[in-house]
Amino acid sequence: MRINPVLKKIGTYPMAVIQDRARAMREAGVALIDFSIGDPREPTPPFIPQALRDAVPEISQYPTSRGLQVLREAIAGYVLRRFGREVDPDTQVLPTTGSKEAIFSTPFAFVDSRREDVVIWPTPGYPVYGRGALLAGASGHPVRLGEDFILRASDVPDQVWARAVLAWTNSPHNPAGSVMARSDIESLYQKCQEFGVLLCADECYVDLYEDDPPASVLEVADSDLSGVVSFLSLSKRSGMTGYRSAAMVGDARAIRALASLRTSTGTAPPEFTQMAAVAAWSDDDHVVERRQIFSEKRAILRKAFGAMGYRTVGSTAGLYLWVEVEDDIETATHLLERGVVVSAGRAFGPGGEGYIRLALVPSPEECKQAVEVLEECLTRM
C-alpha cells in the first residue's frame, strides 16, 4: 500500500500525544486538572440545545453544502452587529462543520501544486494551517513570530509574497493570546492585495477578550471584502465545540470556490445543528457571560504565575495563557506527574520552545487547586 509521504512528514497531531498520556493516567485512576485542550466545560446555554431538539426532523435528509438561508442570514446579522460590515448572506457567507475542517480544506480550493504555490502561516500556531497547506501540495512558508507573537507584513520577504496564494493570520492568537492591532491587520491586507494573495483570518476567538474587542479583517477590507475570508466559530463563543458549527465570511469569489469544493466532499452541517447555530449567532448576551468566566480563570492563573516570577506573554484574549519557562518539555512533564496537564509550547511549532500553554478550561475552583500544584512544582525547579 502506498501512503501519501506528506502524512509521514507532518507526523502525528501534536496534541494527540499529550492526550494519550493524560488518558492513560486517568485510566490508572489518577485525578487530573487538564489545561491542555481548548474544549470549555461550561454548559452550552440552554436555549441552544433546545433549538436543536426542536429542529430534529421525523425524516432525516442530506443538508445542502451552502447551508440554510436562515443560518446564513443569522451569520450576516452577527457580522453587522459585531463588525459593522454588511455582507450578502447568499454570496459571502458559508456555514461549515467547525472551523478546523474548514481551515484544513481551504487550500485545496486555491493551491495549484504544479506551480509550487506558497501558503504562509505563523509559527508557533495552530498546526492545521500547515497540515492542510502541505497536503494540498503547497510549498509552506511558516513565519516564526517575534516576542509579541504578532504576524506582520514585513515578516515575509517580497519574493515569498510573489509566489503566495494564501496567507493565514490568527487574532486573538493561539497559543499566545496576543491581539493584532488594527494597523497591523491593515498593513497585512494591503500587502496581500498588492500581490494578489487571499488573506485567510482565523478569528474563532474574536469574541473572547478582556479590554477592547479585537479587530477583524472584515473591518479593514474593501467594501466588497475582496481578498479576505474570515473564519468564525461558535465553539468558544457559545460553548458549542461538540456541535462543530462555524462559518466562512468574505470575498464572494472565494466563497464560491469554497462552496464548489465542499459540494465535492459533501461536507455540510446537519440542518438541526444549523438551527442551533441560528439561535447562537442571533444572541450576544450569553457571550458576555462566557467572557466573564474566562476572565476570572485568566486572572487566577496570571496572578499566580506573576507571583512566582514567571512572565505571561500576550494572554489578553482568546482561551489561553502563554507562559515563559526555561524548558517547556521538562515543565509540562513535571506538572503532568503531579496531575496538572499543560501543553509544551513546541507542540505548536518553531518559536514555541520555552513556553507552556494553559487552556482556560477547568473551572475557577479547579484553577485555584491547580495553583497549589503550580506553586509547589515550579518553585522547586
Side-chain angles (χ1 to χ4, degrees), residues 33 89 117 227 243 270 278 295 328:
I33 302 176
D117 286 344
Y243 288 67
V278 170
S295 293
D328 53 307

Side-chain angles (χ1 to χ4, degrees), residues 7 36 46 68 113 293 358:
L7 284 176
S36 64
L68 295 172
S113 59
I293 292 171
L358 289 82

Side-chain angles (χ1 to χ4, degrees), residues 218-266:
L218 299 175
E219 297 174 277
V220 307
D222 294 343
S223 59
D224 61 354
L225 300 182
S226 62
V228 302
V229 176
S230 171
F231 293 72
L232 303 165
S233 174
L234 292 172
S235 288
K236 280 71 176 182
R237 178 186 188 272
S238 301
M240 295 174 63
T241 53
Y243 288 67
R244 311 309 300 142
S245 189
M248 297 184 283
V249 180
D251 188 314
R253 296 165 301 172
I255 294 296
R256 185 165 58 248
L258 290 162
S260 177
L261 171 69
R262 299 171 76 79
T263 299
S264 299
T265 63

Side-chain angles (χ1 to χ4, degrees), residues 142-155:
V143 179
R144 186 164 179 148
L145 301 178
E147 291 187 354
D148 61 357
F149 296 95
I150 298 294
L151 176 65
R152 295 180 173 85
S154 58
D155 293 334

Side-chain angles (χ1 to χ4, degrees), residues 82 206-211 213 236-237 284-298:
R82 175 65 174 82
V206 76
D207 283 333
L208 301 183
Y209 53 87
E210 291 188 340
D211 300 316
K236 280 71 176 182
R237 178 186 188 272
D284 300 323
D285 291 341
H286 72 285
V287 189
V288 176
E289 297 176 6
R290 294 181 67 79
R291 274 199 295 272
Q292 292 170 345
I293 292 171
F294 293 128
S295 293
E296 180 183 357
K297 298 177 186 182
R298 186 181 290 110

Side-chain angles (χ1 to χ4, degrees), residues 44-56 243 272 275-276 279:
T44 305
F47 71 92
I48 296 172
Q50 185 60 53
L52 183 146
R53 286 190 290 267
D54 292 344
V56 175
Y243 288 67
F272 47 85
M275 292 308 297

Side-chain angles (χ1 to χ4, degrees), residues 81-103:
R81 295 193 311 274
R82 175 65 174 82
F83 306 116
R85 176 55 64 92
E86 290 190 18
V87 297
D88 184 345
D90 293 328
T91 63
Q92 295 179 308
V93 178
L94 188 61
T96 69
T97 50
S99 60
K100 182 175 182 177
E101 66 85 4
I103 289 169

Side-chain angles (χ1 to χ4, degrees), residues 90-169:
D90 293 328
T91 63
Q92 295 179 308
V93 178
L94 188 61
T96 69
T97 50
S99 60
K100 182 175 182 177
E101 66 85 4
I103 289 169
F104 175 83
S105 62
T106 288
F108 289 87
F110 303 102
V111 167
D112 185 342
S113 59
R114 298 168 299 181
R115 293 190 310 233
E116 296 187 349
D117 286 344
V118 169
V119 173
I120 298 164
W121 67 82
T123 182
Y126 192 31
V128 178
Y129 308 136
R131 288 168 177 262
L134 295 174
L135 281 165
S139 296
H141 185 80
V143 179
R144 186 164 179 148
L145 301 178
E147 291 187 354
D148 61 357
F149 296 95
I150 298 294
L151 176 65
R152 295 180 173 85
S154 58
D155 293 334
V156 182
D158 278 358
Q159 58 265 34
V160 175
W161 282 116
R163 294 177 51 213
V165 291
L166 295 179
W168 285 103
T169 186

